[in-house]
Amino acid sequence: MADARPTIFVVDDDASVRDAISNLLEAVGLRAKLFASTEEFWKAPRPNGPSCLVLDVRLPGVSGLEFQEQLAKANLSIPIIFITAHGDVPMTSRAMKAGAIEFLMKPFQKEDLLAAVHHGLDRDRIRREEQAEVSILQSRVEQLTSREREVMDLVVTGLINKQIGAQLGLSEVTVKIHRSRVMQKMEAASLADLVRMSDKLKPRPRR
Amino acid sequence: MQTDVLPEGPIRSLIRHCGFTLLFVMAAFVPTLLLQRLFPYPFLFLFFGAVMASAWFGGTAAGLFAVLLSTVLVEYFFVPPFYSFSISTTAEAYFAAFVACALAASWVSSAKKKSEVALKEALDQLEVRVSERTAELMKTQTELAHLSQVLSMGELTSSIAHEINQPLTAVVTHGHACIEWLSASPPNLEKTRQTVERIIQDGTRAGAVLSRIRALVKKEAPAKTWLDVNEVIHELTTFLRDEAVRRGIAIRTDLVPGLPKVKADRVQLQQVLLNLMMNGMDAMAETTNFPKELLISARANEADVMVRVEDTGVGLNAETAEKVFQPFFTTKPHGIGMGLSISRSIVEAHEGRLWATPRSSGGAIFEFTLPVRPRDSDG
Ligand SMILES: Nc1ncnc2c1ncn2[C@@H]1O[C@H](COP(=O)(O)OP(=O)(O)O)[C@@H](O)[C@H]1O
Ligand SMILES: [Mg+2]
């Protein structure tokens, strides 16, 4: 899959801090999109590429932590890097527990911000790749007949053709034919490959 | 109404009461005398009016006096035989009824008056009590306002810290960006120039925040009055006693009575003391081997009043003793590090000095002076 250019969203109500962050990101070749408030963020279109969010904790209206919850509720799993003027331990641990990448104290150092941003982008990239792979696999599964799907479900549990035939009331030869059609349609190179695919297709709790 | 309250000798009051009792009775007597020609029976009702009026204004004694006068007049003029002090047997009952009614009228009237006076007094007292309580409440309220001013210091410094931290963050971040633009090959000079301009803007903004605060502090500064330092110390120790007990700390004071007064801003002096005392208590949070004790003492010489706050806490060394006064220096997880810096500028604005020394047996001593006769004083 072609990797679109990464975007770093910056939400801070202070214009000079926002500009400075964008200047630094631009200087290291990263693209930033700036927002003065969380409402602005919701309204704006979000480019389809790996992204992460640099978020001020102290915002007028919705606080950064509340915004983190809102994003989770809206199923927007974008990695978050918090920036704050004062280190509040309970606040930090709450944010980290909810999956934040990093909690940076203002003024922060370049290395810390960039490391966090890259970490966030990597995480988002992996998540996107996984998601893309899952959707490809899903479209392949949809091409299977219901019989083939049954055969596949049993194959991945490690049963041999004879056992599968017995369970489904089919001859061993028929199972063999279904099995090779499954391998073909799923584009699986080996049995191990098919097992891995079926694992990916299982609904998982999100990170 | 007011005339009743004015001091009046008992004799004069008696004469006055007799006077208007006579007046009332005469006012009843004359018309009765005239009316007698028109009515077949003596028309005595006006006398009841006179008795009631006398009892109302003059009290029981005046009422009885009016009864006596009326009785004499009625007996002489209106009870047959007329114009004589003798009474015909047929008029005896009539006359007795008159006297009884007059007495009753007098009693009712004076009793009513008495209860009315009592009610009025109760109301007056209530009013006085209410106004006293209101004054007390207002005093407490101003005291509370002062205290909250002292306590909101922490909040104020925290918002100041935030206001300055924002442009500071921008400056640092632009600085990093600047290095990046310069180390590109070829260096991006246009971006570098723009970035430096932003740095100048943000630095200027931080400066503006500071001068705004300075203006704010200045505006509040000149509320200097002659103060008894012992009194301010006493107020604060009382105020902090509960907190100290909660933290297992004993607050002791060692004050010399009759210290000369100093000219100072009460709220600011409270701020300094509160800061030093809170710091002392914070410093003892982890003490285990000492008794936790905060000692506040005050002394004076010809020139200055000296106040000392000692604790048995973690203490200082000669090197940190000066560092602690730097703005934003703090070793506390939630500290702001402005308390001592602000305290020192307050004391210096009062032409005094504030410094710290290690205590020989562990702990810290913070001491400040306030001149007894500052230059700008008018005394
Ligand atoms: N009585 C004391 N004993 C030891 N250290 C002290 C004492 N008072 C102040 N300090 C040190 O000085 C620092 C600065 O104090 P202050 O300016 O009041 O700010 P804050 O209380 O917010 O830290 C404290 O964090 C502490 O390290
Ligand atoms: Mg302090």
Side-chain angles (χ1 to χ4, degrees), chain A residues 53 55 64-73 76-82 89-103 123 206-207:
Chain A
L53 172 62
L55 180 61
L65 291 182
E66 283 162 2
F67 186 52
Q68 183 184 28
E69 278 165 20
Q70 289 179 0
L71 287 172
K73 275 210 194 94
L76 250 177
S77 43
I78 179 167
I80 300 178
I81 296 143
F82 280 101
V89 176
M91 200 195 267
T92 314
S93 67
R94 198 182 126 197
M96 297 304 285
K97 271 202 199 106
I101 296 283
E102 191 58 276
F103 212 96
R123 193 192 272 187
R206 43 184 343 114
R207 203 173 12 187

Side-chain angles (χ1 to χ4, degrees), chain B residues 181-208:
Chain B
W181 291 125
L182 278 175
S183 46
S185 50
N188 190 332
L189 293 181
E190 178 51 26
K191 282 286 183 187
T192 306
R193 196 186 54 76
Q194 282 174 11
T195 305
V196 173
E197 261 167 23
R198 302 254 189 83
I199 291 178
I200 294 171
Q201 274 173 19
D202 291 327
T204 313
R205 177 178 152 209

Side-chain angles (χ1 to χ4, degrees), chain A residues 27-200:
Chain A
V28 297
L30 287 165
R31 176 175 57 167
K33 285 202 83 173
L34 310 180
F35 305 97
S37 67
T38 54
E39 291 94 60
E40 273 186 30
F41 177 86
W42 285 120
K43 278 186 211 139
R46 283 177 291 279
N48 189 24
S51 54
C52 67
L53 172 62
V54 176
L55 180 61
D56 187 16
V57 172
R58 183 139 103 175
L59 286 171
V62 182
S63 83
L65 291 182
E66 283 162 2
F67 186 52
Q68 183 184 28
E69 278 165 20
Q70 289 179 0
L71 287 172
K73 275 210 194 94
N75 242 336
L76 250 177
S77 43
I78 179 167
I80 300 178
I81 296 143
F82 280 101
I83 50 177
T84 177
H86 26 222
D88 184 336
V89 176
M91 200 195 267
T92 314
S93 67
R94 198 182 126 197
M96 297 304 285
K97 271 202 199 106
I101 296 283
E102 191 58 276
F103 212 96
L104 297 175
M105 293 278 276
K106 290 184 192 176
F108 39 79
Q109 295 306 311
K110 178 189 80 184
E111 293 74 20
D112 297 335
L113 178 71
L114 294 183
V117 162
H118 282 126
H119 182 181
L121 288 177
D122 285 347
R123 193 192 272 187
D124 199 43
R125 210 172 270 129
I126 290 168
R127 189 188 57 79
R128 276 165 187 281
E129 274 164 13
E130 275 176 359
Q131 219 170 39
E133 200 184 337
V134 166
S135 61
I136 288 171
L137 291 177
Q138 258 159 2
S139 67
R140 287 180 194 161
V141 166
E142 270 153 30
Q143 287 168 18
L144 301 180
T145 63
S146 56
R147 181 59 88 192
E148 283 164 2
R149 213 172 286 187
E150 279 173 344
V151 171
M152 173 170 159
D153 285 347
L154 293 174
V155 167
V156 297
T157 60
L159 295 186
I160 57 170
N161 293 349
K162 202 173 183 177
Q163 292 164 317
I164 297 172
Q167 274 205 21
L168 297 178
L170 300 171
S171 73
E172 203 182 324
V173 180
T174 319
V175 171
K176 209 170 175 180
I177 294 168
H178 281 309
R179 184 178 179 149
S180 71
R181 306 243 344 143
V182 167
M183 296 296 281
Q184 202 185 333
K185 283 185 180 170
M186 291 302 291
E187 295 172 32
S190 62
L191 177 60
D193 203 14
L194 191 68
V195 170
R196 192 183 55 81
M197 289 175 179
S198 106
D199 260 359
K200 285 229 164 99

Side-chain angles (χ1 to χ4, degrees), chain B residues 75-378:
Chain B
E75 206 286 324
Y76 188 80
F77 290 97
F78 306 118
V79 174
F82 300 136
Y83 303 103
S84 121
F85 281 113
S86 59
I87 302 173
S88 70
T89 38
T90 48
E92 262 172 19
Y94 176 72
F95 179 64
F98 170 79
V99 175
C101 286
L103 280 171
S106 161
W107 180 79
V108 166
S109 178
S110 66
K112 178 100 178 44
K113 172 74 183 220
K114 249 184 228 156
S115 69
E116 205 134 293
V117 167
L119 201 67
K120 176 87 181 54
E121 259 169 27
L123 265 177
D124 284 350
Q125 270 179 14
L126 206 65
E127 214 166 282
V128 169
R129 288 252 295 280
V130 166
S131 62
E132 273 173 8
R133 290 289 296 147
T134 313
E136 254 171 60
L137 276 175
M138 277 167 68
K139 193 165 160 257
T140 324
Q141 203 187 6
T142 39
E143 275 166 14
L144 270 179
H146 271 205
L147 273 180
S148 71
Q149 225 175 318
V150 172
L151 291 179
S152 66
M153 196 65 190
E155 230 161 76
L156 180 72
T157 42
S158 132
S159 80
I160 291 170
H162 181 75
E163 287 245 344
I164 292 176
N165 205 33
Q166 294 293 93
L168 197 68
T169 302
V171 166
V172 172
T173 309
H174 278 309
H176 284 302
C178 215
I179 293 176
E180 291 296 324
W181 291 125
L182 278 175
S183 46
S185 50
N188 190 332
L189 293 181
E190 178 51 26
K191 282 286 183 187
T192 306
R193 196 186 54 76
Q194 282 174 11
T195 305
V196 173
E197 261 167 23
R198 302 254 189 83
I199 291 178
I200 294 171
Q201 274 173 19
D202 291 327
T204 313
R205 177 178 152 209
V209 171
L210 280 178
S211 53
R212 237 186 20 242
I213 293 158
R214 212 169 282 138
L216 204 79
V217 172
K218 242 185 217 152
K219 220 174 269 166
E220 284 170 5
K224 292 188 186 171
T225 50
W226 289 102
L227 291 180
D228 182 350
V229 173
N230 284 346
E231 205 180 289
V232 179
I233 292 173
H234 182 72
E235 277 170 14
L236 276 164
T237 49
T238 312
F239 176 67
L240 286 180
R241 191 131 281 151
D242 283 347
E243 180 67 17
V245 168
R246 217 171 50 73
R247 300 191 188 192
I249 294 169
I251 298 187
R252 279 208 304 124
T253 52
D254 174 15
L255 309 174
V256 174
L259 285 181
K261 296 202 167 175
V262 294
K263 196 159 193 190
D265 183 307
R266 183 178 213 98
V267 174
Q268 292 192 343
L269 188 56
Q270 285 172 341
Q271 277 171 9
V272 172
L273 270 166
L274 184 70
N275 242 311
L276 298 183
M277 290 171 69
M278 287 305 291
N279 279 350
M281 298 214 284
D282 288 345
M284 289 186 280
E286 259 115 65
T287 313
T288 44
N289 47 342
F290 292 102
K292 298 186 180 186
E293 190 179 86
L294 191 68
L295 172 64
I296 299 101
S297 46
R299 299 268 174 285
N301 58 28
E302 308 86 70
D304 305 295
V305 169
M306 283 164 292
V307 181
R308 199 182 232 254
V309 178
E310 291 177 47
D311 62 70
T312 56
V314 287
L316 302 159
N317 56 42
E319 191 192 326
T320 49
E322 196 45 39
K323 229 192 222 158
V324 293
F325 292 100
Q326 284 172 6
F328 302 115
F329 175 85
T330 183
T331 54
K332 300 172 195 171
H334 296 289
I336 293 157
M338 284 301 286
L340 287 174
S341 147
I342 289 176
S343 296
R344 179 173 264 184
S345 47
I346 288 175
V347 171
E348 283 173 358
H350 286 81
E351 293 162 46
R353 289 185 310 119
L354 167 63
W355 69 96
T357 39
R359 196 165 154 274
S360 50
S361 46
I365 300 175
F366 282 81
E367 210 164 349
F368 65 91
T369 61
L370 292 171
V372 175
R373 217 163 262 285
R375 259 180 293 124
D376 68 338
S377 87
D378 36 20

